[in-house]
Amino acid sequence: MRKAPSKAAQERIERMLNELFKLPGNDQCADCTYKNPRWASYSLGVFLCIRCASLHRKMGTHISKVKSVSMDRWSTDEVQFMNKLGGNKQVNNRVNPSPALHPLPLALDDDQ
């Protein structure tokens, strides 16, 4: 089992995570563009709203690993990986370079 980081280390990780919010596009959900996302898929490198985070969790951890930005503990490696991927805009540009041709399949009711 991993040892919990010290308080100083955790504060440093939180500052790094907050710096990621300043990247263009990270002020909105990567999937639905809802403002001020408070969740993230650290395996995909994107910030998400609570609704889309729920959908990512339903996909399974083999596809998307989701954490709360404020309620969960983050490791330095997780934050650095998100930083390496470049944020919502860069990830979305790689995954779906033509959103007008391939819109996101968001339904009003998730449970269908």
Side-chain angles (χ1 to χ4, degrees), residues 2-3 8 26 37 47 50 53 67 77 81 85 88 99 103 106 110:
R2 235 190 274 178
K3 186 177 135 183
N26 288 351
F47 289 98
I50 193 166
K67 280 189 173 188
D77 291 341
F81 186 71
L85 292 176
N88 291 359
L106 296 175
D110 303 338

Side-chain angles (χ1 to χ4, degrees), residues 20 23-26 30 44-47 81-94:
L20 285 175
L23 294 176
N26 288 351
L44 300 177
V46 294
F47 289 98
F81 186 71
M82 287 207 40
N83 191 36
K84 177 182 158 189
L85 292 176
N88 291 359
K89 273 192 174 180
Q90 286 191 20
V91 171
N92 280 343
N93 286 339
R94 281 192 302 271

